[in-house]
Amino acid sequence: MFSTYMTDYMPAVMREVNAKYEVDCLYTNGWPPLGNLPVCYCSVCKNLPPPGTPAYWEKFNERVFYLWKLYDGIAKEKKSSSFFFANLGGGAHGGPNLAELGRVLRLVPGR
């Protein structure tokens, strides 16, 4: 979640898909994590607030919003009407702050 996998590898995959295919949307299934927030002790995550704390949830949300904007920008690199969307099937039980995420989403033109 907090590693370069999400900022380097995933954008490279998205750019490859965007370059090779005519798509209107980039979509991720299983991200952002739904339900319980991820717990990791890698070299990046060990510097975060302890899992299960409000401070950790805040950092998690900051990361989700940053990555969502990054991925949406990649979707728009080829066609400005394209967008990024993720599986938010957990609804109210999802991991991210849905009220704040609603401010990040730009699915409706002119919104």
Side-chain angles (χ1 to χ4, degrees):
M1 175 70 189
F2 294 95
S3 74
T4 57
Y5 179 88
M6 302 301 279
T7 54
D8 295 345
Y9 180 75
M10 287 303 300
V13 170
M14 291 175 172
R15 285 186 172 106
E16 181 176 346
V17 168
N18 220 9
K20 292 186 175 197
Y21 304 100
E22 290 298 319
V23 297
D24 296 318
C25 174
L26 296 174
Y27 171 81
T28 54
N29 187 21
W31 185 90
L34 301 174
N36 294 330
L37 301 183
V39 176
C40 177
Y41 300 100
C42 75
S43 62
V44 175
C45 293
K46 72 178 182 178
N47 296 315
L48 296 169
T53 64
Y56 180 81
W57 191 66
E58 185 69 30
K59 289 292 184 186
F60 171 82
N61 279 291
E62 287 175 15
R63 183 69 169 176
V64 167
F65 306 146
Y66 170 79
L67 291 172
W68 199 294
K69 291 175 186 177
L70 173 67
Y71 298 166
D72 191 59
I74 292 168
K76 290 173 175 23
E77 287 175 354
K78 184 173 180 180
K79 186 168 52 174
S80 64
S81 62
S82 292
F83 62 95
F84 166 75
F85 196 71
N87 180 1
L88 294 174
H93 299 289
N97 179 329
L98 299 179
E100 288 296 319
L101 187 57
R103 292 182 182 95
V104 173
L105 296 174
R106 297 290 179 244
L107 299 178
V108 181
R111 180 173 159 211

